[in-house]
Amino acid sequence: MVNAIWMFMLLVGFIAAAAQGKIDVVTEAVFEGAKTGVSVSFGLISVMVFWLGIMRIAEDAGLLKRLAKALGPVVRYLFPDVPRNHPALGFIMSNMSANLLGLGNAATPMGIRAMQELQKLNPNKDTATPAMCTLLAINTSSITLIPTTLIAIRMNFNSANPAEIVGTTLLATIVATFAAIFADRWYRRKDAKRPPPQQLKSDKGRYTASQGAGYHTPAS
């Protein structure tokens, strides 16, 4: 649906440009956009390679294990329904550690592995578990100490001070993360009060039977 909308907008743009005799402007903009995209990508690659190398050094030095160990109590609080020694917790801690350093590309594989492990614990394979919803919320709003990708983009566009966004980014991600945790806890409590599907089905059956027998609920 989204792709169809984009194609429709592009088609309308080309038709409007052709009608006004400005098709050359559109062509120039297309090539300029492609050139900018390639240059930005190369800039991001260099910075990402640097930070991934730093992360590998930190991993070999044991810093990531210490960071993951420090996150252990937080992870166990956020995911109380995951067994203590389950592999999913290790992938979740690695995912959160990478996100803290602003390495979203490095965090993504760990998040996927964590979801795969959580799916193994899922009794209903067609419905996401509370732990899976929590992981998605935390991964989306993760606290970021160093916004590596944003700094790389600002450097690529010749920003005078590309790292000046660190403070505001940290504050924004802290607010977003606490909002995500609050929403997750609220929905968990709301879901805990909801009757199980089997009970709902049983109640519905009794209500239908009572209607068929001529019984009605008294008006309040």
Side-chain angles (χ1 to χ4, degrees), residues 46-218:
S46 60
V47 175
M48 289 302 300
V49 167
F50 170 76
W51 281 106
L52 287 174
I54 294 295
M55 189 174 181
R56 182 58 185 268
I57 294 173
E59 182 180 2
D60 292 341
L63 295 179
L64 287 185
K65 289 184 178 180
R66 293 183 182 180
L67 180 58
K69 186 176 180 180
L71 292 173
V74 178
V75 172
R76 285 192 292 272
Y77 167 76
L78 294 174
F79 301 89
D81 44 348
V82 179
R84 188 179 184 87
N85 296 320
H86 196 272
L89 291 178
F91 290 117
I92 291 172
M93 287 187 283
S94 298
N95 172 267
M96 293 178 66
S97 300
N99 275 325
L100 280 171
L101 299 176
L103 300 173
N105 290 344
T108 300
M110 296 300 171
I112 294 174
R113 291 295 304 275
M115 282 292 187
Q116 291 173 342
E117 293 295 331
L118 291 175
Q119 180 70 354
K120 295 178 182 179
L121 299 172
N122 189 359
N124 187 357
K125 303 301 182 183
D126 297 329
T127 304
T129 63
M132 297 170 79
C133 295
T134 301
L135 176 59
L136 180 62
I138 296 299
N139 191 66
T140 303
S141 63
S142 176
I143 295 176
T144 303
L145 299 177
I146 307 173
T148 309
T149 304
L150 289 178
I151 292 175
I153 294 175
R154 289 170 62 86
M155 290 176 60
N156 196 70
F157 284 96
N158 302 317
S159 173
N161 187 4
E164 67 179 352
I165 60 170
V166 171
T168 53
T169 301
L170 179 60
L171 178 61
T173 54
I174 288 175
V175 172
T177 299
F178 276 99
I181 294 174
F182 174 80
D184 177 71
R185 298 294 105 173
W186 187 80
Y187 277 107
R188 275 179 179 259
R189 286 194 294 268
K190 182 179 179 181
D191 188 65
K193 297 178 181 178
R194 184 179 303 171
Q198 188 66 27
Q199 183 178 345
L200 288 174
K201 184 178 180 181
S202 178
D203 292 343
K204 183 178 180 181
R206 288 199 299 270
Y207 177 71
T208 304
S210 66
Q211 279 187 326
Y215 294 100
H216 301 279
T217 303

Side-chain angles (χ1 to χ4, degrees), residues 25-41 157:
V25 176
V26 175
T27 304
E28 182 181 353
V30 169
F31 283 105
E32 188 64 29
K35 179 181 177 181
T36 303
V38 171
S39 61
V40 170
S41 298
F157 284 96

